[in-house]
Amino acid sequence: MASFVIEGGHRLSGEIHPQGAKNEVLQIICATLLTAEEVTVNNIPDILDVNNLIQLLREMGVTVAKKGIDSYSFKAENVDLAYLESDEFLKKCSSLRGSVMLIGPMVARFGKALISKPGGDKIGRRRLDTHFVGIQNLGADFRYDEERGIYEITADRLQGSYMLLDEASVTGTANIVMAAVLAKGTTTIYNAACEPYVQQLCRLLNRMGAKISGIASNLLTIEGVEELHGTQHTVLPDMIEVGSFIGMAAMTKSEITIKNVSYENLGIIPESFRRLGIKLEQRGDDIYVPAQETYQIESFIDGSIMTIADATWPGLTPDLLSVMLVVATQAKGSVLIHQKMFESRLFFVDKLIDMGAQIILCDPHRAVVIGHNHGFKLRGARLTSPDIRAGIALLIAAMSAEGTSTISNIEQIDRGYQNIEGRLNATGARITRI
């Protein structure tokens, strides 16, 4: 098991480029199964979850070719349907949460999908009801094989329908959209997720010949077509990395420029960091973060304590709350961090408390952070990364800490961040992989 050794207290400087968005590219890669023609995808991040999904498609019979440093082509002309019923395939699906988005394309194009219960981060329950009920609304039959622990989904030809989703699930919406594009008739999805990831997927599908309207809203209308064709697609920069780099700059009192961030797709993220007192400027499509010796958390207009909470888009993405919590430990003032959407993502705060942070964990969803105002630094510590997002938050804490820290289980960080130590060391960090 690999670890990071971090020498804290070093300021960063220069430019840093965010990778392609992990949450988008997992959907896009699954969507390539909807056509027998070639689909080329650019700006694919070299991270564990994405590489595992690409390898899974190869083993399914998809022809995958690397076209450049971050570009791949996918041609699902001869998919091995027998392999999709094998124990080997199902075992690999169980270790990769993104594999759940294979259901929609496979049922739509081939009339059948088998999948085991997907894995992923240990951040509480992440139910699949929205995926399954949505695709059932299109006419698919679901059967759970308790003995093998697998779901079997079948359909002769999906039929468009109206549906009101019980939650605005990003991956659930993506799965239903991918199933509906080849269904007969019109599908209407209300309370659809409208994150940039879903918008990008819908635009890709439209370029492939789908007929999707309402993109960027929570009401999608899909007119089914007989077939889709090949196209090209470029993945957006990862908004979670952009937010992580803003947090790193503030915690380490650093001046950095985050390049090519696709600012128009960041939503409320920049303003949320400004609420913590962090200065940042939009310069073209870059974000400039000046060195700040201190930053002060705002209060609400009536003087009450600031609350930062996650919400469905265009609210604040839950993937950045861990970073914002860490950043608040060195701010001037106090803030309530309210993690509404997942039930175990705040359980890493005990490690921050051991490092000297002043945090009151109220319950699995809420934590009050009392900022140090850089009055004293966090202490180096031995840490373990419990999931991707908490892992990057702990890395930020260690970079700002006094002394040396060790973070184990960094495979979790590798699942979401490409060569993170190399890119940060190029800006002045001191991170060693052992």
Side-chain angles (χ1 to χ4, degrees), residues 356-416:
Q358 292 187 310
I359 304 172
I360 302 168
L361 184 60
C362 307
D363 55 44
H365 294 277
R366 297 177 301 159
V368 175
V369 185
I370 303 162
H372 290 160
N373 191 24
H374 290 299
F376 60 90
K377 292 185 176 182
L378 300 177
R379 300 182 294 270
R382 297 191 68 86
L383 307 164
T384 299
S385 173
D387 63 71
I388 299 173
R389 306 311 177 186
I392 202 69
L394 292 174
L395 180 60
I396 294 171
M399 289 168 63
S400 72
E402 193 170 55
T404 299
S405 299
T406 301
I407 303 178
S408 59
N409 196 31
I410 61 170
E411 288 80 7
Q412 287 285 356
I413 300 174
D414 289 337
R415 288 178 49 218

Side-chain angles (χ1 to χ4, degrees), residues 135-303:
I135 296 174
Q136 277 180 312
N137 285 337
L138 297 174
D141 293 321
F142 273 73
R143 186 176 68 86
Y144 180 63
D145 185 334
E146 191 169 347
E147 184 176 337
R148 297 182 69 192
I150 64 170
Y151 300 98
E152 182 177 359
I153 309 98
T154 57
D156 292 331
R157 174 76 190 271
L158 297 175
Q159 179 71 45
S161 70
Y162 170 87
M163 62 188 80
L164 173 60
L165 304 188
D166 65 333
E167 65 168 340
S169 164
V170 174
T171 54
T173 300
N175 229 342
I176 297 164
V177 167
M178 288 188 283
V181 291
L182 293 180
K184 184 178 180 181
T186 299
T187 298
T188 303
I189 308 173
Y190 200 13
N191 195 31
C194 55
E195 274 80 350
Y197 315 130
V198 178
Q199 297 176 34
Q200 285 283 92
L201 173 66
C202 291
R203 294 186 182 112
L204 163 78
L205 293 171
N206 278 352
R207 288 196 303 275
M208 293 171 69
K211 296 180 179 179
I212 305 171
S213 58
I215 298 172
S217 78
N218 69 346
L219 180 61
L220 295 175
T221 302
I222 304 155
E223 296 178 42
V225 297
E226 290 296 322
E227 62 180 5
L228 299 180
H229 52 76
T231 190
Q232 290 201 18
H233 180 80
T234 298
V235 176
L236 289 174
D238 196 313
M239 69 172 77
I240 313 306
E241 271 214 343
V242 172
S244 300
F245 295 149
I246 294 171
M248 286 176 188
M251 283 286 282
T252 58
K253 304 180 183 179
S254 301
E255 177 186 8
I256 64 170
T257 299
I258 310 167
K259 300 292 291 182
N260 303 321
V261 299
S262 188
Y263 198 93
E264 65 180 4
N265 287 297
L266 294 178
I268 202 173
I269 291 171
E271 184 57 33
S272 297
F273 280 101
R274 290 189 182 103
R275 284 187 157 193
L276 294 180
I278 298 169
K279 296 175 183 176
L280 54 93
E281 300 173 19
Q282 180 185 0
R283 295 183 173 179
D285 204 30
D286 303 338
I287 289 179
Y288 169 73
V289 186
Q292 294 176 248
E293 294 301 316
T294 186
Y295 48 97
Q296 183 168 350
I297 299 170
E298 295 179 0
S299 297
F300 285 118
I301 292 172
D302 64 359

Side-chain angles (χ1 to χ4, degrees), residues 122-125 339 342-348 364-365 387:
K122 305 304 181 186
I123 53 175
R125 293 172 296 170
Q339 168 63 268
F342 298 103
E343 62 191 8
S344 304
R345 266 193 168 165
L346 297 182
F347 286 166
F348 75 103
H365 294 277
D387 63 71

Side-chain angles (χ1 to χ4, degrees), residues 4-11 395 398-406 425 428-432:
F4 281 147
V5 176
I6 304 102
E7 186 180 301
H10 295 281
R11 295 198 183 201
L395 180 60
M399 289 168 63
S400 72
E402 193 170 55
T404 299
S405 299
T406 301
N425 286 343
R430 300 283 181 86
I431 305 169
T432 304

